[in-house]
Structures are given as structure tokens and as C-alpha cells.
Amino acid sequence: MIYDHTITMTVSIEQLETAKRISRALDPDVGGYEAFQQRNEDGTKARYSTPCTADFARNAAMLLMIPSELHAVVAADYAARWSDLPVPTLDDVTAFCANVECYVDDAAQSDCI
């Protein structure tokens, strides 16, 4: 697998828990919930940045434009791996998608990695 892109997402502190729950579902291992640890200077926003494949970058961008699809992906992952934990609601995911700042860089052309 070639991680040739970097995806960076920034959310308000109010949406941090939803962001972490979504990240848990999209992370192929178990560390996704620990994302969004970096804060801006005044502590009002949290950021997460990670290397990713081009396919993941494309899929993430598409899912952020269609909250119902993102919710379906997240809910399916929770059913398979995290059935004892609360799933973000569709309303939570919709609000997240409306407010998240997301940037994708091609690692070959970026200083992000």
C-alpha cells in the first residue's frame, strides 16, 4: 500500500467527540479514536492529519459530501467492530460534514509528510 497523500481535517471543539467516533470507524486498526489531538492556539479547534492512499483520499472527500453515506459506513463499522459503543447519529454526522475543514495533499508535491 502506498501512502502518497495526506488528509487533514479540522473541527470545532464542540464537534470533537463526533469527529473522534467517525475517525474510529474509518481507521483500519484501533487508533482512530485517538485522532484530533492537536489544538489551535486558542483551543477552539482540533486537527488530525495522516498519510493515506489516493483511494482513501477520494473516498473520504466523497463521503464528506454525502452525510448519509458516511453515516452508513460508520454505522456498519461500529456494528462489525465496536458494537458496544455508541454510533454517531445521522444528525451528528451531518453537522460534522457541514463544518469540518478537510484538505488533501499529494505527498509528492507537499511538505506535509
Side-chain angles (χ1 to χ4, degrees):
M1 196 171 295
I2 298 173
Y3 295 101
D4 55 357
H5 287 67
T6 299
I7 189 166
T8 302
M9 290 188 236
T10 304
V11 297
S12 66
I13 293 301
E14 293 79 21
Q15 291 185 319
L16 182 57
E17 185 62 27
T18 298
K20 291 174 78 161
R21 289 179 182 178
I22 290 170
S23 181
R24 175 189 283 138
L26 297 180
D27 193 323
D29 57 34
V30 297
Y33 185 80
E34 300 305 321
F36 294 96
Q37 297 300 319
Q38 186 178 20
R39 303 291 194 273
N40 65 346
E41 286 183 22
D42 65 6
T44 60
K45 293 188 176 186
R47 182 183 319 172
Y48 173 56
S49 183
T50 188
C52 65
T53 65
D55 286 342
F56 182 88
R58 277 191 296 277
N59 289 338
M62 185 269 309
L63 288 173
L64 290 175
M65 293 188 302
I66 309 170
S68 61
E69 291 293 323
L70 178 57
H71 181 260
V73 167
V74 169
D77 189 73
Y78 269 73
R81 297 194 300 158
W82 314 102
S83 61
D84 59 326
L85 298 174
V87 179
T89 66
L90 178 56
D91 287 343
D92 290 339
V93 173
T94 300
F96 170 82
C97 290
N99 294 294
V100 67
E101 298 169 27
C102 182
Y103 302 96
V104 176
D105 292 316
D106 182 331
Q109 301 174 9
S110 173
D111 295 327
C112 293
I113 298 180

